[in-house]
Structure formats: C-alpha cells, structure tokens
Amino acid sequence: MIKNKKTKKVSSSLINMGLALLITCTLSALSLGWVEELTADSIKKNSYLKELAAISSVVNEFNNNPYEEKMTITTPNKRHKLDLFPIRKDGVINSFAIKTYSNNGFGGRIEMIVGFYIDGAIKSFAITQHKETPGLGSKINDDKFKQQFNGYNPQKGIFKVRQDGGDIDAVTGATISSRAVIKAIQRAVDAFNNFYQTGVKDETTES
C-alpha cells in the first residue's frame, strides 16, 4: 500500500510540474508577442528615421518628402529591385537617391544609400548596414574614402578600384570592401539607366 501511495505522489508531482511548465511557456510566449507588438512601430519608425537621415546626407537640399514619391526600379536583367527617391526643392528635382546593396563585402552584405546629381554623377553615399572588419573594411564609410566619389560619373570613367585598372583608390587593406561599394553603386547606376531609358518602373513591388 505504501508503494502505491508513493507512485501516485510521484505521478501527481510530475503532472503538476508539467502543468507549471506549460503555463510558464504559454505566459512567456504571450509576453514576447505582446512586447514585439508594442515595439514593432517603434522599430519601424527608427528604421525610417535612420534611412531618411542617410538620404538627407547624400543629396542636395530638399523640401519634399522623398518617401511619398518613392518608386521601385530594376536592373536591366530584372534580377535586382532598388528603391529610388526623387529629391525636390520647391517642386523641382535637383538630385535623387537610390537604396542599393552588394552581397560581396568581406563580411557579407553591405547596404547603402547613394545620392546622385541630375547629370548622373555621384554626390555621396552612406553605408546603412555592413559587417566589415572594424577599423579596416569599416573605413568604407569614412569621409576620406567617400570624398573621391563626389562629382565622379561612373558612366564617364573606369569605375573600378586602381588595383583593377580603375579610377578609385581602395581603402588600404580593404580592397574587397571597396570593390563591394563600387558594385553596389554600379547596380544603382544600371537600375537608374534602365528606368530612364525605358521609363518603366517595377509594378510588382509597392512603393
């Protein structure tokens, strides 16, 4: 009889532990979902402000809302979709920005906003996301590297690093990262030229 009582007691304890664990997991999941829902708008807003700041840093002065006119353009082979932001001052377009990327950085994907003058020359660019080596590849976001791009027209020069016979000085010790920047900008140039020549934007992606 004593043995049966012990067995029932152990069984009861296991059930209670199981119920407690289930309740704890359920409450945790609900709490995480609630917190995620509360922070989603904040994260989205911060992302928007960060991107708008990057756009502002690479284009001419403007007083329109670039997001209201944002459109999606594609590279000629239709493989890559990029966001284009018209920049206006008092209703007149004076520059434009394109959100672009390259997956060929030393640390992987590099995302950036590139600003262009109306004639297609680069004004500047801002790296918005990267995983390049701190103090080395990360210098692609330094002014010293960026300055050589101001006024440079990729269509009128050899848009490569000097190691590849081009016009651009790579970041010392970070040629791969430098090449990735050029590739991302070239992708933006190709997409814009495709849009400009055909006048067709991508309709499959909401802008």
Side-chain angles (χ1 to χ4, degrees), residues 62-107:
F62 63 95
N63 51 23
N64 70 316
N65 182 347
Y67 279 85
E68 292 180 352
E69 300 182 65
K70 183 181 76 171
M71 63 185 74
T72 302
I73 60 177
T74 67
T75 49
N77 58 16
K78 306 295 182 184
R79 290 178 57 192
H80 308 287
K81 298 178 181 181
L82 307 178
D83 291 333
L84 181 146
F85 303 88
I87 304 302
R88 298 177 186 270
K89 178 65 183 289
D90 298 331
V92 179
I93 294 179
N94 61 32
S95 52
F96 58 94
I98 296 179
K99 183 178 180 180
T100 184
Y101 68 94
S102 170
N103 290 321
N104 300 104
F106 186 79

Side-chain angles (χ1 to χ4, degrees), residues 72-78 190-202:
T72 302
I73 60 177
T74 67
T75 49
N77 58 16
K78 306 295 182 184
D190 293 343
F192 179 76
N193 287 340
N194 183 55
F195 165 72
Y196 185 80
Q197 292 167 7
T198 63
V200 177
K201 65 178 181 178
D202 182 70

Side-chain angles (χ1 to χ4, degrees), residues 107-120:
R109 188 179 178 92
I110 295 175
E111 296 183 3
M112 57 197 295
I113 303 288
V114 187
F116 293 91
Y117 294 105
I118 290 299
D119 65 357

Side-chain angles (χ1 to χ4, degrees), residues 16-58:
N16 289 337
M17 288 174 62
L19 287 173
L21 183 60
L22 178 61
I23 292 171
T24 301
C25 290
T26 301
L27 290 175
S28 296
L30 290 173
S31 297
L32 286 172
W34 179 67
V35 171
E36 184 177 357
E37 186 175 343
L38 285 177
T39 58
D41 288 342
S42 177
I43 292 172
K44 185 176 181 180
K45 182 179 180 180
N46 289 336
S47 177
Y48 164 79
L49 291 175
K50 179 182 178 182
E51 193 167 275
L52 184 59
I55 292 172
S56 301
S57 72
V58 300

Side-chain angles (χ1 to χ4, degrees), residues 7-18:
T7 301
K8 288 180 180 179
K9 187 175 180 180
V10 171
S11 178
S12 176
S13 296
L14 288 174
I15 292 173
N16 289 337
M17 288 174 62

Side-chain angles (χ1 to χ4, degrees), residues 106 132-133 135-140 163 169-178:
F106 186 79
E132 303 306 280
T133 307
L136 197 59
S138 64
K139 290 184 178 180
I140 54 175
Q163 289 91 326
D169 291 319
V171 172
T172 302
T175 304
I176 293 176
S177 302
S178 304

